Amino acid sequence: MEEPFKINQKITAREVRLVGDNVEQGVYPTDQARKMAQDQNLDLVEISPTATPPVCRVIDYSKFKYEQKKKTRELKAKQTKVVLKEIRFGPNTDDHDFDFKLKHAQEFLKEGAKIKAYVHFVGRSIVFKERGEILLLKFAQALEDLAKVEQLPKLEGKRMFLYLAPKAVVVAKAKPAPAPASKEAKPAAPAKEAAPTPTE
């Protein structure tokens, strides 16, 4: 495999700009920069070949490559794959079956999956396509807290499809309570003298 960076003897520029923590930064002849790297048992690595002069670092190249691969793996791991779950209805789905499938859809959406719900019309049941559309719209409405509609019910052949995507969960940050307005302490009102009690 061809190395993604030029290192050591493969650096062909006459002079390079050294950067990094373990060297005195500046422009050096390439041979001198290579020797500075060798003196530290490290490699001279060209990290910016298009600069004038090219920018190099004195680093442990094998460790540098390992860190680069690790970062790439972490980025790939963070790229979540979108899962599409199918939920099938018939035009005459009863309430019990509807609720059962609704519960599954809620779980799928909470896991971040998209939903492809469809009504399958068998034989003459295609005449009930309005019923299928009402069923899918009812399904979407029941999930409106968790999902947004990506495609409204659409008939394709003997199936009517509805596509739903999970809503992004936005956690509202609690606003800090406003600081109480500082009021200057008012001098306390002088206590009223008690009226003398009449003596006999």
Side-chain angles (χ1 to χ4, degrees):
M1 281 180 64
E2 189 179 341
E3 294 291 348
F5 299 93
K6 286 183 181 178
I7 65 169
N8 300 327
Q9 303 302 325
K10 291 186 178 178
I11 299 170
T12 54
R14 284 192 301 175
E15 59 181 16
V16 294
R17 181 179 298 280
L18 277 188
V19 297
D21 303 326
N22 52 349
V23 293
E24 189 175 335
Q25 299 189 16
V27 177
Y28 296 88
T30 305
D31 288 341
Q32 185 183 346
R34 267 197 289 263
K35 187 171 185 312
M36 290 167 71
Q38 286 169 2
D39 291 344
Q40 298 184 56
N41 290 320
L42 295 172
D43 301 292
L44 184 68
V45 181
E46 188 180 69
I47 57 169
S48 183
T50 55
T52 308
V55 179
C56 292
R57 274 184 183 273
V58 173
I59 50 177
D60 181 338
Y61 186 58
S62 58
K63 187 178 176 182
F64 173 74
K65 276 204 301 183
Y66 171 77
E67 292 294 337
Q68 292 291 329
K69 284 181 182 177
K70 189 177 173 184
K71 283 179 186 176
T72 305
R73 281 199 303 269
E74 286 172 358
L75 283 172
K76 282 182 180 177
K78 286 178 183 176
Q79 290 173 351
T80 53
K81 292 179 181 177
V82 178
V83 178
L84 184 66
K85 297 283 189 179
E86 288 191 358
I87 293 181
R88 173 178 168 162
F89 293 98
N92 299 309
T93 298
D94 60 30
D95 289 342
H96 175 73
D97 195 26
F98 180 86
D99 291 340
F100 179 75
K101 292 181 187 220
L102 182 67
K103 189 177 177 183
H104 275 295
Q106 287 168 338
E107 289 171 4
F108 294 148
L109 289 164
K110 285 174 185 174
E111 290 168 3
K114 289 188 175 186
I115 302 285
K116 178 169 83 171
Y118 65 92
V119 179
H120 185 65
F121 300 99
V122 181
R124 293 187 177 183
S125 67
I126 194 71
V127 298
F128 299 117
K129 62 182 180 182
E130 289 83 5
R131 192 181 295 177
E133 185 175 2
I134 290 167
L135 179 74
L136 290 174
L137 289 172
K138 177 185 168 186
F139 184 68
Q141 190 173 8
L143 293 167
E144 64 182 356
D145 290 342
L146 295 171
K148 58 186 177 185
V149 176
E150 282 200 332
Q151 180 188 300
L152 286 166
K154 182 180 177 184
L155 187 65
E156 295 178 17
K158 291 186 177 181
R159 290 180 177 181
M160 183 175 283
F161 292 96
L162 165 78
Y163 287 89
L164 301 170
K167 282 184 177 177
V169 179
V170 179
V171 180
K173 290 185 179 178
K175 291 183 179 178
S182 59
K183 293 180 181 178
E184 290 183 11
K186 292 181 180 178
K192 291 181 180 177
E193 289 183 11
T197 46
T199 53
E200 290 183 0

